[in-house]
Amino acid sequence: MAPPPSTPSMAPPRLIHSAPGLLDTCSELPPPSAVAEKMSGPVTDTPSAIQICRIMRPDDANVAGNVHGGTILKMIEEAGVIISTRHCNSQNGERCVAALARVERTDFLSPMCIGEVAHVSAEITYTSKHSVEVQVHVMSENILTGTKKLTNKATLWYVPLSLKNVDKVLEVPPIVYTRQELEEEGRKRYEAQKLERMETKWRNGDIVQPVLSPEPNTVSYSQSSLIHLVGPSDCTLHGFVHGGVTMKLMDEVAGIVAARHCKTNIVTASVDAINFHDKIRKGCVITISGRMTFTSNKSMEIEVLVDADPVVDNSQKRYRAASAFFTYVSLNQEGKPLPVPQLVPETEDEKKRFEDGKGRYLQMKAKRQAHTEPQP
């Protein structure tokens, strides 16, 4: 769903931000809607859109110079949390901070490379009583040639948490729409994501178990885990982890799984919905586990699970904090897609996950064909 563009009645973008120590190429550029289909958008008393810009450095990319998907996801979340927190504090009342609850499926439409400038634009497109929908577009700019490309679209959902009690969800100030159908469309998106979040939470009870001496091309051969102690630099001022930090770690683990499976240069192609089931607090030890679930001829689906262990709090047990499916593709030296080794599921659970992954793949393939076919 493309976000609505700004109209003359909407406040212009005011917040311009760039990362410290990096080239500042920001200017008051149009909101995400400038690269989407034209339609009237919501009217608010707070800034309607913000933009974050920074140049991509070598530590943002893999050995082939392609920027990590996790780096882009982290920037997307940073823009989303700024605009949603600002909106949720736009009226007199209890102060709050916006926490990421879900990221809808996002496709990496074009690769971004070292030396290019990322322009991340975010815009609020819907609010419910307790949540904010933010739509984000990412453009890459080659500052030598001036060429710009759309690389990502994403939809994020935030909930406002009280500064006095981060377990308390506050109400969101409403936005006013110029057309009634925009609110109705937003409500449909809200109800759909709410249902999917509940379904995902209940089916994410299993864990990734290590296997000794696994065979090549099996699930066990490429599965990987990363253990991370949550420190102050990972967290908001209120002691829980930034959603963007979690997504970056998830993408890192998924990339390791993909590279182990095909042993070539790999890049993130898309991310299915990322669901944040619970907050991760400072001092927790988190385990990010990834396993291959499905392979097509040229793509790999990796399930990533994030479990949090509150080691300094004996009253709380280990819990599932986030989950998602990442899709990767294998590339040759010219950046062209390569065939990937076919996954060999061994156990009944692995075979079931393979069939589920195949269903998601065919469903998304059908949606893409429907979007590209000429309309009668």
Side-chain angles (χ1 to χ4, degrees):
M1 172 70 64
S6 58
T7 65
S9 59
M10 294 175 67
R14 297 175 192 169
L15 176 60
I16 303 298
H17 169 84
S18 61
L22 297 175
L23 176 62
D24 187 350
T25 60
C26 300
S27 60
E28 292 195 357
L29 297 179
S33 50
V35 290
E37 54 188 86
K38 297 182 178 180
M39 57 193 297
S40 299
V43 178
T44 68
D45 293 330
T46 55
S48 60
I50 65 168
Q51 186 174 93
I52 295 176
C53 305
R54 75 173 179 88
I55 197 167
M56 297 291 100
R57 301 294 192 186
D59 57 352
D60 295 316
N62 62 18
V63 293
N66 302 120
V67 174
H68 293 296
T71 299
I72 304 300
L73 290 171
K74 190 170 184 290
M75 291 186 68
I76 287 173
E77 199 276 334
E78 185 180 35
V81 75
I82 290 172
I83 193 169
S84 54
T85 298
R86 171 177 283 185
H87 174 76
C88 291
N89 288 284
S90 62
Q91 296 183 2
N92 293 330
E94 192 172 345
R95 299 296 92 182
C96 63
V97 60
L100 183 62
R102 176 179 166 91
V103 181
E104 301 292 353
R105 178 184 174 89
T106 177
D107 292 301
F108 291 76
L109 307 174
S110 178
M112 192 178 299
C113 302
I114 295 172
E116 293 185 328
V117 173
H119 299 268
V120 183
S121 303
E123 185 176 24
I124 294 175
T125 50
Y126 179 75
T127 59
S128 69
K129 184 177 181 180
H130 295 294
S131 64
V132 180
E133 181 192 54
V134 178
Q135 297 202 21
V136 181
H137 281 66
V138 183
M139 301 285 294
S140 67
E141 177 191 7
N142 185 318
I143 53 178
L144 300 180
T145 64
T147 303
K148 292 184 179 181
K149 293 183 294 184
L150 177 66
T151 64
N152 297 81
K153 297 179 182 179
T155 301
L156 302 88
W157 294 90
Y158 289 85
V159 293
L161 305 180
S162 168
L163 296 187
K164 297 178 181 179
N165 177 10
V166 293
D167 292 321
K168 178 183 177 183
V169 179
L170 301 180
E171 292 191 10
V172 176
I175 55 177
V176 180
Y177 294 87
T178 56
R179 291 193 288 119
Q180 183 65 33
E181 55 265 34
L182 296 179
E183 183 176 9
E184 294 172 357
E185 291 169 359
R187 185 179 297 110
K188 290 179 182 178
R189 296 194 299 271
Y190 166 75
E191 294 295 341
Q193 65 85 27
K194 185 177 180 180
L195 180 61
E196 289 184 11
R197 281 190 68 213
M198 292 301 297
E199 291 176 347
T200 303
K201 188 171 184 177
W202 288 112
R203 67 172 181 259
N204 272 337
D206 57 344
I207 60 175
V208 178
Q209 297 284 6
V211 176
L212 296 176
S213 304
E215 294 294 323
N217 299 337
T218 62
V219 175
S220 301
Y221 184 80
S222 59
Q223 70 182 30
S224 304
S225 294
L226 183 154
I227 299 175
H228 179 75
L229 174 63
V230 175
S233 62
D234 299 318
C235 298
T236 68
L237 296 176
H238 312 97
F240 56 88
V241 177
H242 289 287
V245 170
T246 305
M247 290 193 292
K248 191 173 187 299
L249 292 171
M250 293 173 77
D251 179 75
E252 182 177 336
V253 170
I256 293 171
V257 173
R260 280 181 169 173
H261 181 76
C262 61
K263 301 189 183 304
T264 60
N265 177 36
I266 47 87
V267 294
T268 313
S270 65
V271 184
D272 206 354
I274 304 176
N275 290 288
F276 292 83
H277 308 299
D278 208 339
K279 296 183 294 296
I280 304 172
R281 298 180 184 273
K282 181 172 62 178
C284 282
V285 172
I286 57 175
T287 303
I288 305 98
S289 304
R291 61 186 172 195
M292 193 79 64
T293 51
F294 173 75
T295 54
S296 66
N297 290 333
K298 293 185 179 180
S299 67
M300 300 161 280
E301 182 190 72
I302 298 106
E303 182 180 27
V304 182
L305 308 172
V306 181
D307 294 309
D309 188 1
V311 292
V312 296
D313 183 2
N314 293 329
S315 66
Q316 190 175 11
K317 297 180 180 179
R318 179 183 174 114
Y319 61 93
R320 178 63 41 82
S323 59
F325 290 98
F326 286 70
T327 299
Y328 275 74
V329 293
S330 173
L331 302 179
N332 61 19
Q333 293 182 348
E334 288 73 40
K336 303 295 183 182
L338 288 171
V340 301
Q342 292 304 290
L343 183 66
V344 181
E346 297 177 298
T347 68
E348 290 303 315
D349 285 343
E350 289 173 358
K351 291 176 182 177
K352 183 180 185 306
R353 285 194 292 268
F354 186 91
E355 290 302 316
D356 291 344
K358 183 178 180 180
R360 287 187 292 271
Y361 169 77
L362 293 175
Q363 185 179 36
M364 185 51 56
K365 187 176 180 180
K367 287 182 179 179
R368 287 177 176 172
Q369 289 177 344
H371 289 161
T372 56
E373 289 177 356
Q375 298 299 316

